Amino acid sequence: SAVISQKPSRDICQRGTSLTIQCQVDSQVTMMFWYRQQPGQSLTLIATANQGSEATYESGFVIDKFPISRPNLTFSTLTVSNMSPEDSSIYLCSVDRGRTEAFFGQGTRLTVV
Amino acid sequence: GIQVEQSPPDLILQEGANSTLRCNFSDSVNNLQWFHQNPWGQLINLFYIPSGTKQNGRLSATTVATERYSLLYISSSQTTDSGVYFCAVEETGGNEKLTFGTGTRLTIIP
């Protein structure tokens, strides 16, 4: 298994501000994934982050809104920029092991007021 | 992209009951996983099961890849089984990206 530490675990933010979420993994991984889970919904992939290259964003997500950093093989950040109440969601980072099991951080529960 | 539908969307059971959750997917996959999301939002990997059958305690899962569905069985339910169950698939040629199903919310009543 993988141990993934994600922080903050929750936050309440004012609209128009930005929040950076951190994800630390206990061992080196090639790919890290960022998901969004809107209230009562399933998980949707935001982007895939590879070390040393630009993140790959899914349809409907753009770098200006969700900039991602991947400075090394154990760490990544996701920033939610210029927030609005519609950004209130749980944000999760994930890694997998050899294209088998995926492991998730505990999630960041974001409320925008 | 691939579509992943789960049924039923909601399930309420008495403690001790058994249940079967279903996951249908629209295209061939090379990875299928079942997850449990507890009431605090934590996602726990239950099974990696692209085909065949696996068992872990009171839980078991079966995937019939040729017919594009997977089943999760929970026996002798406990209140700690409550939460949302998701299946997630990586479609063939999907570059390790998981697509999550619609989820089944399970509530176990004492």
Side-chain angles (χ1 to χ4, degrees), chain A residues 99-101, chain B residues 25 28-34 47-54 61-66 68-70 88-90:
Chain A
R99 308 191 68 160
T100 57
E101 297 175 84
Chain B
F25 43 96
S28 62
V29 300
N30 53 26
N31 185 338
L32 187 147
Q33 300 177 49
W34 283 96
F47 293 104
Y48 163 72
I49 186 165
S51 64
T53 297
K54 289 186 178 180
T62 295
T63 297
V64 184
T66 53
R68 299 181 181 168
Y69 73 89
S70 183
V89 303
E90 176 194 346

